[in-house]
Amino acid sequence: MGKAKRQSLLRLEGQVTPNVDIFITYCGEELDVLLDTVRATAAIDYPHDSFRIIVLDDSVSGEVEREIGKLRAQHKGIYYSTRGVKPKTHTKAANLNHGLKYVSGLPGGSSDLVAVLDVDMIPSPHWLRALVPHLLLDPKVALANPPQRQYNIPDGDPLGQVMDLLFDVMEPFKNATNSAWCCGTGFVARRDALDGIGGIPEESISEDILTSFFLKAAGWEIVYVYEDLQWGLAPSTITAYLKQAKRMCAGIVSTAAALRNPQARTMTREEKYGSVFPAFAMAMSVYINMAAMVLLPLLLLSGAPLVAYSSSAQLRAISTLFLVKFLAISSYNFLATKAADFHVGILGLSMAWIIPYHFITLVRFALSIITGDGVPLFTPSGLIVGVGSTKTVANGMKVALWDHGFIIHVTIIASLLGGIAASFRAALQSGNTKSILAELFTRAGWPPLFLICFEYILSCCTPLSYSINPPKTMTRSALMDRDPQSLVAYPNRQAKDPRFTVFESNTRAYKAILGSIRQWTYPDSESTSGKRDDVNLPPFPSVSYAYYVKLPMSKLYTVLECTEL
């Protein structure tokens, strides 16, 4: 794993900068979303002769080509290219590999660095100046990437779409232990490093994870820059959210396909295990939770005692041990709540309602492998026409139950409630009137079991309530500040305010408890973490010192390491 490291926040200053090819992948999403990303990218604080923007269109849209042509009249560094294939075929990785080949044929050939943005990701003006220095200062670093932020999360975040646990806790910790991964968008990479692993791996729809594996196997390092440098869109309908969730599940599981890539021959045994572990962990988590959802109602319906004990003294001992554990967990939750200033969940099963969809995805994935069809393909989220609202409650219920398949959740809720009722009835009819409390206590009244059932029921209510009464969301235009002349738009302060809910409670607790680790890892990051400042404001109030680095490209660059006053 290597020695733990600190990560500074840097800025590349001046007009002497390395050339960058910026790829923006498109596959039928809203045209306005694409154009806003292209405009913001063209307006970044970076010498305009040092970067090119290439829109990689997998929708083969004549309208997109015309609109990009209009923008090219304002910025000569904007290009349009397409593979000539329709959506639903191949992957984002294939589109990016097409881009790598395309820029090689442009005047001057390919650039030394490659950057990638998803179609909805608005980069901050200092995006490249913040990431590029990490590649310049360390010749072993192949890729640097920032966290992903969303600016359209509805109030209350009922679907738990904010990913602060991943980007504020897990990724900084992984970076401190030299195990950071590519996060899929907003990253900057060395072209020669990507060429050295044969381009972007196409074996999995989670091309970012496989790219990380192969780069590390080739001896490169990846840096996670803990600074808000890009803002994108979360799925705006539950239809799009479900499609994204299933795609991510299949993508993680399909990373096991890394072993089929020729680059896998250079991987160590530990790296091969590491490439398979995410798939194994995802599959086991889904299978175990799905088994619990199916077996718990059956166990309760049996009416049999669920706690084995031979005497009342033994039952008291078991109960005492549980009480000690419960008090310990409650104490942790109390302290975490005080530190995070928000209520912490009990068992972390708030998102259990998504498990049936993950299970179906894994079954579909397994069948596709068995039948030889390969990794199943998914419709890009931008092409999904979702049901965002319904005219009546009855219509909303129909959409929820049948169109979204939430009849599964109604069945789970009914079976759990029925099982609890049957278990209690069996206890009351046991005939042991002297120990009726013990009979209730050892069946559905057993606290750990009751809490699990309780959280499963609450979780399964989430998609039903969301479909019947979707949260009110602001239009994208209302969430952005747009320059009337250049039409460049950035998410406004209101859009970037954190929306903490019960789904974020554990994240905030982890962030509070691991705050010391984060500060040790990123001693200069306080001005950019937890504060969603306007992207046009300078991210640092002062500069401590500057130093110069000689690069293999035979150019002299100025890099600033930034600290707070």
Side-chain angles (χ1 to χ4, degrees):
M1 186 174 292
K3 183 179 179 181
K5 62 182 179 182
R6 294 171 180 246
Q7 191 66 61
S8 299
L9 299 180
L10 308 172
R11 287 291 181 273
L12 179 63
E13 295 293 319
Q15 299 301 305
V16 182
T17 56
N19 295 331
V20 184
D21 288 325
I22 303 173
F23 296 145
I24 300 177
T25 56
Y26 177 80
C27 195
E29 293 85 354
E30 293 182 20
L31 181 57
D32 288 344
V33 173
L34 169 65
L35 297 180
D36 280 343
T37 299
V38 175
R39 292 191 190 100
T41 306
I44 59 175
D45 177 20
Y46 204 79
H48 282 195
D49 59 351
S50 294
F51 71 93
R52 298 180 296 202
I53 301 171
I54 301 91
V55 176
L56 301 174
D57 179 16
D58 260 0
S59 71
V60 198
S61 169
E63 183 181 10
V64 171
E65 185 175 10
R66 289 191 296 271
E67 292 298 326
I68 296 302
K70 294 177 183 178
L71 292 179
R72 179 172 168 77
Q74 306 170 19
H75 190 293
K76 297 301 182 183
I78 298 179
Y79 296 84
Y80 170 90
S81 182
T82 179
R83 291 189 291 156
V85 298
K86 295 293 184 180
K88 300 184 182 180
T89 61
H90 298 79
T91 62
K92 174 183 173 182
N95 199 10
L96 291 174
N97 285 330
H98 164 75
L100 293 174
K101 296 177 182 178
Y102 173 77
V103 295
S104 298
L106 293 179
S110 60
S111 299
D112 298 305
L113 303 177
V114 174
V116 174
L117 285 170
D118 282 351
V119 65
D120 60 310
M121 282 292 172
I122 303 291
S124 67
H126 49 275
W127 168 54
L128 287 185
R129 291 193 180 275
L131 295 181
V132 170
H134 295 276
L135 280 70
L136 301 182
L137 296 182
D138 190 345
K140 296 181 180 179
V141 173
L143 186 148
N145 56 178
Q148 297 180 31
R149 304 297 187 191
Q150 294 82 30
Y151 63 89
N152 67 326
I153 301 295
D155 290 336
D157 188 19
L159 297 181
Q161 298 183 85
V162 176
M163 296 184 289
D164 285 359
L165 175 58
L166 172 62
F167 293 117
D168 289 348
V169 178
M170 296 174 64
E171 288 298 334
F173 184 78
K174 287 164 58 181
N175 190 76
T177 55
N178 294 316
S179 56
W181 284 357
C182 171
C183 297
T185 179
F187 66 84
V188 178
R190 297 181 189 272
R191 173 62 190 259
D192 59 345
L194 295 180
D195 289 342
I197 62 171
I200 308 297
E202 299 182 20
E203 287 79 6
S204 168
I205 54 179
S206 289
E207 74 290 331
D208 48 356
I209 299 179
L210 286 193
T211 299
S212 304
F213 288 155
F214 293 150
L215 285 175
K216 289 181 176 294
W220 293 98
E221 294 183 3
I222 296 174
V223 169
Y224 177 75
V225 181
Y226 189 31
E227 183 177 356
D228 293 348
L229 299 173
Q230 60 175 343
W231 294 84
L233 295 170
S236 58
T237 67
I238 199 164
T239 308
Y241 175 78
L242 289 174
K243 177 65 72 171
Q244 182 191 66
K246 290 186 284 188
R247 183 184 185 278
M248 291 178 64
C249 175
I252 292 174
V253 174
S254 65
T255 56
L259 300 182
R260 298 202 307 246
N261 191 294
Q263 298 294 326
R265 288 194 291 266
T266 64
M267 299 171 70
T268 65
R269 179 181 300 178
E270 290 77 12
E271 288 169 338
K272 290 180 180 179
Y273 287 153
S275 68
V276 176
F277 180 77
F280 177 79
M282 167 64 78
M284 288 299 99
S285 175
V286 171
Y287 290 143
I288 291 173
N289 277 280
M290 194 67 215
M293 288 182 173
V294 174
L295 295 178
L296 274 179
L298 296 178
L299 290 173
L300 292 170
L301 286 170
S302 71
L306 302 177
V307 180
Y309 65 99
S310 59
S311 64
S312 58
Q314 191 177 75
L315 179 60
R316 284 195 297 270
I318 295 174
S319 303
T320 301
L321 291 174
F322 165 74
L323 180 61
V324 170
K325 179 181 179 180
F326 181 78
L327 290 176
I329 294 176
S330 299
S331 299
Y332 163 81
N333 288 341
F334 174 79
L335 295 175
T337 299
K338 289 297 183 181
D341 194 28
F342 202 88
H343 175 64
V344 173
I346 302 174
L347 299 177
L349 295 175
S350 302
M351 295 299 294
W353 68 271
I354 202 72
I355 294 298
Y357 297 98
H358 284 170
F359 179 76
I360 294 172
T361 300
L362 293 183
V363 172
R364 178 189 173 198
F365 178 85
L367 291 176
S368 67
I369 298 299
I370 294 172
T371 58
D373 293 334
V375 177
L377 301 173
F378 287 83
T379 304
S381 58
L383 300 180
I384 300 169
V385 179
V387 181
S389 61
T390 53
K391 295 181 179 180
T392 64
V393 173
N395 189 37
M397 183 65 72
K398 173 185 174 297
V399 170
L401 294 179
W402 304 112
D403 296 357
H404 293 153
F406 294 159
I407 188 67
I408 298 174
H409 301 88
V410 173
T411 303
I412 292 174
I413 293 172
S415 59
L416 285 172
L417 291 176
I420 291 172
S423 182
F424 278 136
R425 184 173 65 252
L428 295 174
Q429 295 176 350
S430 63
N432 191 353
T433 56
K434 294 184 178 179
S435 57
I436 190 67
L437 291 180
E439 293 294 331
L440 292 171
F441 195 66
T442 57
R443 288 179 168 82
W446 182 241
L449 179 65
F450 185 82
L451 288 176
I452 292 174
C453 293
F454 179 73
E455 289 216 3
Y456 275 151
I457 291 172
L458 285 183
S459 178
C460 287
C461 288
T462 298
L464 299 172
S465 61
Y466 186 99
S467 292
I468 295 172
N469 185 29
K472 294 182 179 180
T473 57
M474 299 177 64
T475 63
R476 202 170 65 87
S477 59
L479 296 171
M480 306 184 79
D481 292 331
R482 187 178 301 275
D483 184 280
Q485 295 182 346
S486 66
L487 299 182
V488 175
Y490 296 105
N492 56 40
R493 188 180 298 274
Q494 179 183 0
K496 294 185 291 182
D497 282 340
R499 291 165 172 79
F500 294 115
T501 69
V502 68
F503 297 108
E504 276 295 278
S505 59
N506 283 317
T507 297
R508 299 193 68 185
Y510 294 143
K511 287 168 66 177
I513 293 172
L514 298 179
S516 59
I517 297 177
R518 185 183 65 188
Q519 288 302 311
W520 173 83
T521 308
Y522 296 93
D524 305 327
S525 63
E526 182 63 27
S527 63
T528 58
S529 61
K531 300 178 182 178
R532 309 296 169 84
D533 296 332
D534 190 276
V535 292
N536 294 313
L537 297 178
F540 300 103
S542 68
V543 174
S544 57
Y545 59 87
Y547 53 93
Y548 299 89
V549 180
K550 189 73 173 180
L551 299 172
M553 304 172 196
S554 300
K555 288 186 178 180
L556 197 65
Y557 301 99
T558 304
V559 177
L560 303 179
E561 182 172 2
C562 306
T563 60
E564 288 189 286
L565 284 171

